[in-house]
Amino acid sequence: FKTSGGLRSLATERAHVGEKIVSAMTQGDLVPYWLVMHLWLGDILSHKESEGIIIDGAVRRGEEAKLFSEVATWFERPYRVFFLDVTEEEMRSRIKKRATIENRTDDNEESLAQRMREYTEHTEPALTFFREQGTLITIPGEGSIEDVETRVQEAFTKELKNT
């Protein structure tokens, strides 16, 4: 099961909230952690404990990581964090390609530089937290789409067998 909605969906549904989300994304900033937490907490609370949940692109800050772990532990929901490890050079290449294909205004050098600052300041501590908790699964994210997809599927399969 994959979570519904998400930031891009919310950005199109609500005028003022959408403007704030689009502005942050365009500048390469992370939206406030409490907004992201609101979205995934709603997803966790709305599903049966027997249902699996995939939360894509969330829990990118240390505060989120700690709260996510606390919520999952309280609900007795085992979890794993899958991290696609990609070099900055590869990210730049992919962003340029995506900008050409999708014509996204947030795919430019300036916003990528801001995203990298956000990653270093916020996401790396979240990854460190999950690594220390023993819940981080790092997957090499470079190579063809098919190769990366195979690695992700293998990691998911392996973790499902272990839970």
Side-chain angles (χ1 to χ4, degrees):
F1 183 83
K2 185 172 181 175
T3 60
S4 59
L7 288 173
R8 291 191 190 282
S9 176
L10 186 60
T12 63
E13 294 171 6
R14 311 241 349 240
H16 181 67
V17 174
E19 289 171 13
K20 298 291 283 179
I21 291 170
V22 169
S23 175
M25 289 178 163
T26 300
Q27 294 174 37
D29 292 331
L30 294 177
V31 297
Y33 75 93
W34 49 264
L35 180 59
V36 175
M37 292 176 355
H38 166 74
L39 292 172
W40 59 254
L41 279 171
D43 278 329
I44 289 172
L45 295 173
S46 68
H47 290 93
K48 298 176 188 171
E49 60 194 53
S50 61
E51 292 179 316
I53 303 171
I54 295 175
I55 302 174
D56 179 25
V59 191
R60 295 184 183 182
R61 296 176 183 252
E63 302 94 339
E64 293 173 31
K66 292 173 185 167
L67 181 60
F68 181 85
S69 179
E70 183 180 329
V71 169
T73 300
W74 194 82
F75 280 108
E76 299 176 352
R77 292 190 79 126
Y79 71 91
R80 296 293 179 267
V81 175
F82 293 86
F83 169 60
L84 293 176
D85 192 13
V86 179
T87 64
E88 186 174 342
E89 181 181 323
E90 179 67 15
M91 282 188 262
R92 287 184 188 288
S93 172
R94 290 179 183 180
I95 292 291
K96 287 178 184 175
K97 184 175 181 180
R98 185 173 74 178
T100 303
I101 294 169
E102 297 180 20
N103 198 27
R104 282 182 37 179
T105 58
D106 61 332
D107 285 341
N108 58 60
E109 285 294 325
E110 189 175 304
S111 65
L112 178 59
Q114 178 60 23
R115 289 179 198 159
M116 294 309 300
R117 287 188 292 274
E118 292 279 343
Y119 174 84
T120 300
E121 183 177 345
H122 298 291
T123 305
E124 284 180 352
L127 293 171
T128 298
F129 173 81
F130 287 127
R131 188 176 295 110
E132 291 170 352
Q133 298 296 308
T135 57
L136 183 69
I137 309 298
T138 301
I139 302 169
E142 297 195 16
S144 71
I145 292 171
E146 295 79 16
D147 289 344
V148 174
E149 179 182 17
T150 297
R151 285 186 220 121
V152 169
Q153 288 176 349
E154 288 171 352
F156 267 87
T157 301
K158 179 180 176 185
E159 289 305 313
L160 284 173
K161 289 179 182 178
N162 291 334
T163 57

